[in-house]
Amino acid sequence: MIRLVTLGEFPSEVLEHVARRLHAAYGMGCEIEGEAELPESALSEDQESYQAPKLLEEIDDETQLYADDKIVYLTKAPLTAPEGPMGKGPLTGFPQFGGGRAVVTSHGLGGKGELPLDVGLAKRAAHHVGHLWELHHCYDPRCAMHPEWSPGFTQYPEVALCLYDREKSERKIKLGQS
Amino acid sequence: MANKGTEIQIGDGSLHIGDRVVYPNQGICRITGVEVKQIAGRDWEVVTLSREEDGATVMVPRAKVMGIGLRKVASVAAIDDMFDQLAAPGDDPQLDWKVRHRENADRMTGGGLQGTLDVLKGLHALSRVRPLPQKERELYDSARHLLVGEIAAAMNLPLHVAEDNLDYALWPPPGMKRKGRPLLPAALPVPGSSAVAARPASRAADDEMDDEMGFGEVDAEGSGEPKTAQVADTEESDIADPTDTKDLVRQRAMRVTAEEEEPEALDELAEDALEATHEDAAVQPSAKLHAPPGTTRPQAKRGPAPAAAEEPKREGARPAGSEAAHGVARSIAAKALEVAAKVLAPARPAAKAPARPAPPKAKPAPPKKAAKPAPKPKKPIAKKPAAKKPAKKAAVRKPAGKGKR
């Protein structure tokens, strides 16, 4: 089961769209759990964005995480992550790779050259849920696992996985604990 | 079983218990100890490793530790150097499948950072030209998985950040720089050359993937497949390793089938459509005979009326099987003709009858003709014999017209 928890207000139709797309992409149940609050302790030094790994650690959320459940937190706030050898790059979300929780931001969606809020959020969420199932980035621009900053990600708004990633995710889901 | 102290040296002396190591093709492991295991009646000293990813235990004979390529996790400097290579423009991909397969297999079994990097970069370059076959797609994913794990382990980064950084080098976002030098932003793969877009219809195996993904038609330029990809296709057909052939042979078989069938299918379709047009016309009478009255539509609405030459045949064929069905029509026609015969000359209707147009006009026709020639004959002497002749023809013709409706 994929559980959606909002960290801020989102239109209900957007949430329903995201839930439907996630369900279609992974063949798993997806439900909207409710709302939680952004942990202030995860605010970065500039006080404008949230440190994503810290946010996931310190979020005060009562949602129970059973066996193979995946929890996706949706926020409008910009996120940051530790800098790697390539420096700072765009960040649309942060998953615990192979784990159970991911945070996805709608920051920047609906702008010029970006996908609309509902479509973009659904695709970003599907991308990061894929990382929760240990899927890596895919070179296919139509796959939801294509790098989210690449032009292909916005060019193809459909939330779909390529055959390889779909089979891999299905295998992971079947082999899951539950 | 004996678990010795952490001071025990393993391999060439560079490995110790508790170290994080890279096991070729398996990923990051941690050395948990050295044990003695009795296998096939012999005591073997084995190094036990715990795979970090899932906690699986791996046992390696101590004497073979260096032979299998077990090594320490790369240093930060080595990783930095690796990113330099990733960000640098790559060479053209190796298109000879056999050479590529052999080289990649050797690199992966070697387990070195450079080897894994070369595999990833080579397959990434190839994926920009054409979609990867299943086995190479798996290899690409495996190489990526190993590198991401090693980057994360070496630089103490979350796995997701490691993967994003890897792709910042392979697919640079706008404004990305590497050591002060701006990188060329990633562009959308050229339609027709990459994974999905605009492949010819003959690429059935790959189109199957598209269908399963549920993607619609892509805005392609219809440029077809590049020569490189075609060359690679032909080279893939003769694979040395029989274990790898299964998927490719299936793909190739589907491709060949599609190539053989599709052009024919187009011709056949066209021919069928043409034949169907004629068949429709030929089948109409019998089909309409079974249709309940009033349900058929006038011939004019269904298309051009059948040729006049066809009518006599149908007329000849019909009375044999439909006399009873058209008895009412015949009697009406006979009555009408009896009235008409009073004023008609015997020769005229007989001469005009074959030249009559489509049957629907048959009903209103007799009164008109009866009205025109009416003043001409002065002596309606041969009423009855004259009436009989046209009556037969009209009786035959009228049911034919009704039957068509």
Side-chain angles (χ1 to χ4, degrees), chain A residues 82 84-86 89-90 93 95 97 131 136-140 142 146 149 151-152 156 161-164 166 168, chain B residues 83 132 137-138 141 144-145 160-161 163-165 167-168 171 173 176 178 186 188 196 209-210 212-213 215 218:
Chain A
M86 290 298 290
F97 198 89
H131 284 314
H136 290 284
H137 285 165
C138 176
Y139 58 78
D140 189 333
R142 296 181 301 178
H146 194 62
W149 58 84
Y156 299 99
L161 294 172
C162 69
L163 187 61
Y164 179 84
R166 202 174 66 188
K168 189 175 173 183
Chain B
F83 272 97
L132 300 177
R137 179 71 177 83
E138 284 171 12
D141 209 53
R144 178 179 276 272
H145 185 74
H160 178 250
V161 175
E163 172 146 36
D164 271 3
N165 273 267
D167 283 307
Y168 289 158
W171 303 86
M176 182 56 66
R178 176 70 188 158
L188 195 66
V196 273
M209 173 179 143
D210 299 350
E212 289 190 30
M213 283 178 75
F215 291 128
V218 182

Side-chain angles (χ1 to χ4, degrees), chain A residues 111-132:
Chain A
K112 196 181 176 186
E114 282 287 345
L115 292 168
L117 177 66
D118 52 350
V119 177
L121 193 61
K123 193 155 187 191
R124 284 181 181 182
H127 179 94
H128 293 291
V129 169
H131 284 314
L132 295 180

